Amino acid sequence: MYNYSKRTIYSKAEDISFRKFIDCAGKKAVVLFGVGRYLPIAKKLLSGHGINPAYAVDNNFWKNGKCVDGIEIRSLDSLISQALNENICVLICADDLFSIEHQLRQFGIKHIFALPLFIDELYKKDLYINAEIPVGEAMARNANEINIMLANKCNLRCSMCRHAQNSSGEVMSMERYLFILEQCRDLRIMGSKLGNVRLDGNREALLHPEFNNILRETKSKGYKTRLVTNGVLLSDKSSTALTEYCSVVDISVTGITPETYSHFQGSNSPDVTKQFNKVVKNVAELVKSKNCANSECKINVSFIYSKHSAHEAKDAVFFWKSVGVDMFYLNPDTGEIASKLENANESEVEYHGYPHGAGMCVRRLTVASNGDVYPCCLPCGEYIPIGNCFDTPLSELLCSPEYFRLINGLASLDRKRIPPGCRTCGVIADIKSTVV
């Protein structure tokens, strides 16, 4: 049913490779569109090829006249006045590349490229990015959330996951789940009220026998729910419940061919092709269910890029657009990053604070099926328990000496005070590198 080799052209940027961009940039002035987290990455990548951006523009006019990383920020009018000038090309340095490209086409600009689509080149240069590319309607970013492990087990044995083999198989009772929601009713994390519940816990929430009832109860309590799943267990019944009660569904699917998928989610499957086709069909059916119900639920696909998958990342963006999902995520392999950080000399590692990294730390608590509480939703978090919410209320745990030692250690950006598990976390640490 799904032809993975046939590509529908949605954007002229689809078939523009990094090599074509370099060839074009050697003949024309390069203008960067977007003055955010990608601008330093773009500058670093371009400097390795002897290219200096002429200037940058942004849809936020408050940034006009400023200078970021030595690059002047001009108004959009400056770009529009040059739109018919064949001697410029634009590099989109933002996640929302489709709407920005449409905007630029209206200006009459012909030579348009997008940094997130150069993921293969960025990966080879160790310039990791976390991209959120809207392939439909853009969605708001998540507020503070709590990540709840409904079942300490998973139906897959993904190669990049450290947890499945250590899972206890324990399932959280409905009574205990509702007890956690009651604790969250007036809970504030870093001063902000908790509004989102994520059902994941680095395991598979769809394995819970009362999953659909849990969705309904969570929404009835006034929370927005986000499910993270591998997509294998999605069904007509769960799709109906998700589109009615869930705000966001994130499906982890790495690769657009069974060959690449087999290294990740299909690493333990007796029939990788069958499993991969099933996941694609399940996502397509979920999209169909959402559209038929006119639901506001956002359906996203998450793609891990590494040496095994970076070559398919760009095509995956357009493939999942053809399926009809709302957002496509590009995330680096945390295992590869952790390994490089662990083996790097201390002088090669630098820690960065909020908003680059610490925005995830402690703002996304995880509660395990047995009630243990961890400071984040990443793998390293399970090695830093701050207590058990079935013994001590969450509100008290967030005022405990253990919690304050943790956040003060992270905030210090001092290697001696940062918990060992956090030192190899790509959210707060980078390896200093120079593009050549």
Side-chain angles (χ1 to χ4, degrees):
M1 180 177 179
Y2 301 97
N3 187 340
Y4 309 108
S5 61
K6 183 179 179 181
R7 306 196 318 177
T8 304
I9 302 299
Y10 288 91
S11 160
K12 292 183 180 179
E14 179 178 5
D15 289 321
I16 296 178
S17 67
F18 179 74
R19 178 46 51 192
K20 288 184 179 180
F21 166 68
I22 293 298
D23 290 343
C24 185
K27 304 170 186 175
K28 306 177 187 301
V30 177
V31 177
L32 305 182
F33 195 112
V35 187
R37 55 181 174 156
Y38 294 148
L39 187 140
I41 297 175
K43 182 180 178 182
K44 207 168 190 180
L45 181 66
L46 296 179
S47 66
H49 294 271
I51 299 171
N52 294 314
Y55 58 92
V57 297
D58 196 276
N59 278 323
N60 184 349
F61 64 86
W62 292 108
K63 298 180 180 180
N64 295 349
K66 297 182 179 180
C67 188
V68 177
D69 278 358
I71 301 175
E72 178 190 3
I73 305 174
R74 299 182 186 176
S75 68
L76 276 175
D77 291 337
S78 300
L79 181 60
I80 296 172
S81 66
Q82 289 186 281
L84 300 179
N85 186 342
E86 290 290 324
N87 291 320
I88 66 167
C89 66
V90 177
L91 178 63
I92 300 173
C93 299
D95 295 320
D96 197 3
L97 57 94
F98 293 107
S99 64
I100 293 176
E101 185 201 358
H102 178 70
Q103 179 183 2
L104 293 173
R105 296 291 178 200
Q106 291 182 317
F107 294 163
I109 296 174
K110 298 179 180 179
H111 306 287
I112 303 172
F113 305 83
L115 185 70
L117 296 184
F118 298 153
I119 193 66
D120 194 4
E121 185 71 18
L122 293 168
Y123 172 78
K124 287 188 292 185
K125 298 294 185 182
D126 280 341
L127 295 175
Y128 296 105
I129 66 170
N130 284 286
E132 302 170 359
I133 304 172
V135 292
E137 180 183 353
M139 60 174 281
R141 294 183 182 273
N142 291 316
N144 287 346
E145 67 180 8
I146 190 165
N147 186 28
I148 301 179
M149 185 190 300
L150 295 179
N152 192 344
K153 54 184 177 179
C154 190
N155 58 315
L156 300 185
R157 295 292 184 271
C158 301
S159 63
M160 67 287 183
C161 179
R162 311 179 197 175
H163 303 292
Q165 60 270 31
N166 299 321
S167 298
S168 66
E170 181 178 11
V171 175
M172 183 182 292
S173 68
M174 175 68 82
E175 181 183 10
R176 283 194 155 189
Y177 178 76
L178 294 176
F179 179 63
I180 294 173
L181 291 188
E182 181 61 27
Q183 292 189 50
C184 294
R185 187 163 54 89
D186 297 315
L187 187 69
R188 291 183 179 273
I189 302 177
M190 306 298 284
S192 299
K193 191 172 181 179
L194 188 149
N196 295 341
V197 173
R198 168 177 158 174
L199 301 178
D200 169 24
N202 296 305
R203 307 302 196 277
E204 181 51 66
L206 287 171
L207 286 170
H208 197 286
E210 296 186 78
F211 177 77
N212 290 354
N213 291 334
I214 283 174
L215 283 182
R216 184 176 62 252
E217 289 292 332
T218 307
K219 185 172 182 179
S220 72
K221 303 293 183 185
Y223 297 100
K224 292 184 177 180
T225 309
R226 180 159 72 106
L227 169 68
V228 180
T229 175
N230 55 51
V232 175
L233 299 178
L234 289 171
S235 63
D236 291 342
K237 187 175 180 180
S238 63
S239 292
T240 300
L242 286 168
T243 54
E244 184 174 356
Y245 304 120
C246 201
S247 298
V248 181
V249 180
D250 287 328
I251 305 108
S252 300
V253 191
T254 299
I256 57 168
T257 62
E259 291 74 24
T260 299
Y261 178 81
S262 66
H263 180 79
F264 297 91
Q265 285 84 6
S267 61
N268 198 46
S269 173
D271 191 337
V272 173
T273 300
K274 182 178 179 180
Q275 179 178 302
F276 178 61
N277 289 339
K278 177 176 175 59
V279 171
V280 174
K281 181 180 179 181
N282 287 348
V283 176
E285 291 298 326
L286 181 60
V287 171
K288 180 179 178 181
S289 176
K290 168 198 167 174
N291 293 338
C292 289
N294 197 25
S295 168
E296 295 183 356
C297 174
K298 300 298 181 186
I299 301 171
N300 309 324
V301 167
S302 176
F303 183 105
I304 295 174
Y305 64 87
S306 72
K307 62 184 178 182
H308 300 285
S309 63
H311 64 287
E312 289 189 3
K314 183 177 76 169
D315 286 344
V317 175
F318 296 94
F319 170 73
W320 288 109
K321 181 172 184 177
S322 70
V323 174
V325 303
D326 296 291
M327 184 84 77
F328 180 85
Y329 295 84
L330 284 170
N331 297 312
D333 189 326
T334 55
E336 287 189 359
I337 295 177
S339 177
K340 290 182 179 181
L341 288 169
E342 191 170 11
N343 295 321
N345 296 325
E346 188 169 340
S347 60
E348 296 176 310
V349 179
E350 60 182 351
Y351 295 100
H352 44 78
Y354 187 85
H356 302 292
M360 180 179 292
C361 304
V362 305
R363 289 182 177 272
R364 295 185 181 178
L365 295 177
T366 291
V367 178
S369 55
N370 65 355
D372 284 345
V373 180
Y374 310 123
C376 71
C377 60
L378 295 177
C380 52
E382 294 194 20
Y383 300 99
I384 318 171
I386 58 177
N388 188 291
C389 68
F390 298 145
D391 299 328
T392 307
L394 284 168
S395 57
E396 292 185 24
L397 289 177
L398 296 186
C399 294
S400 66
E402 292 80 10
Y403 178 75
F404 285 124
R405 276 196 294 271
L406 171 67
I407 61 175
N408 288 334
L410 290 171
S412 72
L413 302 182
D414 180 349
R415 185 175 178 83
K416 295 179 181 178
R417 297 180 60 190
I418 293 175
C422 298
R423 294 171 192 166
T424 58
C425 176
V427 172
I428 67 168
D430 286 319
I431 295 179
K432 299 175 183 177
S433 62
T434 302
V435 178
V436 293

